[in-house]
Amino acid sequence: MVKQVVVLRKIISGILSSAILSLLLVFIHGYTSFIIYFVYFSLGTLVIGLPISIITDLVIFKIKGALKYLFIGLILHLVFASFIVYLFSFAESGNFLTYSNDLVYSIFAAAVVLWVVEGILKKIGSDENK
């Protein structure tokens, strides 16, 4: 059901998302180099974001209407991001508020940017097939 082309597009969108988010963090915070940010975002995106994006596509596979499809896809990406933040919150002390806002914002930004880049690549791919 999941085609090789879809998985390749998701990998490319994960790498592009990681590069975009890494550039943003270098310009906003600049605590470390682009490479460090890119490695962390790439690991997170490819290990967590890629399977979640595939699951999201499988869930919304039969939805008709482009706007409803996009909206539900975004909501599912954000729900999964919330779940990941919730799981991370129990890794340390069991308190949801122990993590800095930077980690929480980064996870939600990664979910949204992955969704946007995936949508753009999907649209480009569908235009090329016509």
Side-chain angles (χ1 to χ4, degrees):
M1 185 165 207
V2 178
K3 296 179 183 176
Q4 185 177 5
V5 173
V6 172
V7 173
L8 181 63
R9 184 182 66 229
K10 289 191 178 296
I11 291 171
I12 291 170
S13 65
I15 292 170
L16 286 173
S17 299
S18 299
I20 291 167
L21 291 167
S22 298
L23 281 173
L24 282 174
L25 276 181
V26 165
F27 289 129
I28 292 172
H29 290 292
Y31 296 136
T32 187
S33 69
F34 170 82
I35 298 297
I36 302 297
Y37 287 132
F38 183 73
V39 167
Y40 281 120
F41 273 119
S42 295
L43 286 173
T45 302
L46 296 177
V47 171
I48 297 171
L50 182 71
I52 287 174
S53 186
I54 290 171
I55 291 169
T56 301
D57 279 356
L58 291 175
V59 168
I60 61 175
F61 176 65
K62 298 256 181 185
I63 294 178
K64 302 292 185 217
L67 189 60
K68 190 187 323 181
Y69 179 86
L70 290 174
F71 182 70
I72 292 174
L74 175 62
I75 295 297
L76 285 174
H77 274 82
L78 291 175
V79 165
F80 282 121
S82 301
F83 183 68
I84 297 301
V85 168
Y86 182 72
L87 288 178
F88 277 154
S89 70
F90 286 110
E92 291 272 329
S93 65
N95 185 359
F96 182 72
L97 299 175
T98 58
Y99 278 97
S100 69
N101 288 338
D102 292 341
L103 176 67
V104 174
Y105 294 147
S106 295
I107 291 173
F108 283 110
V112 171
V113 171
L114 180 63
W115 173 77
V116 168
V117 171
E118 171 69 21
I120 291 170
L121 290 179
K122 193 181 294 184
K123 180 68 176 163
I124 291 171
S126 69
D127 288 345
E128 289 177 359
N129 291 334
K130 289 181 180 180

